[in-house]
Amino acid sequence: MQFFAAAIVGLTLIFCLGAIFGKDDHDVCDAALEKLTSIGEQSFPVGLQEEYRKVIDAHASGEYKTCVNLANKTLEHLKRG
């Protein structure tokens, strides 16, 4: 019985930590997407328009870590020109 209670507590803790860290990814993704949106898709070179759409798709599907990575890559490509 103690094992069952410990397992429930452990699973609850894992779920709570996942929700907390997942929220951070969501916030970072939102901020990066806002930066890209403020620049405007029309000012992106053709290759970066596709990257921008991938960021939007990742955000819409809830893949926030992917969204952050893609957004950072796109912003880096914009800086390089």
Side-chain angles (χ1 to χ4, degrees):
M1 192 60 149
Q2 290 177 342
F3 176 75
F4 182 70
I8 289 176
V9 169
L11 289 174
T12 303
L13 179 62
I14 290 171
F15 175 75
C16 289
L17 288 175
I20 290 169
F21 289 114
K23 177 94 172 112
D24 290 340
D25 290 337
H26 188 173
D27 293 339
V28 173
C29 175
D30 285 344
L33 186 57
E34 181 63 33
K35 284 181 191 176
L36 288 172
T37 303
S38 69
I39 295 169
E41 184 178 2
Q42 291 77 21
S43 61
F44 293 168
V46 174
L48 291 183
Q49 289 178 355
E50 181 63 28
E51 288 185 28
Y52 176 69
R53 288 188 200 106
K54 287 181 182 179
V55 173
I56 292 172
D57 290 343
H59 181 271
S61 65
E63 298 174 20
Y64 300 117
K65 285 188 182 217
T66 302
C67 171
V68 170
N69 291 335
L70 290 171
N72 287 336
K73 287 179 185 177
T74 303
L75 288 167
E76 187 63 34
H77 290 145
L78 282 170
K79 287 179 187 176
R80 286 190 216 154

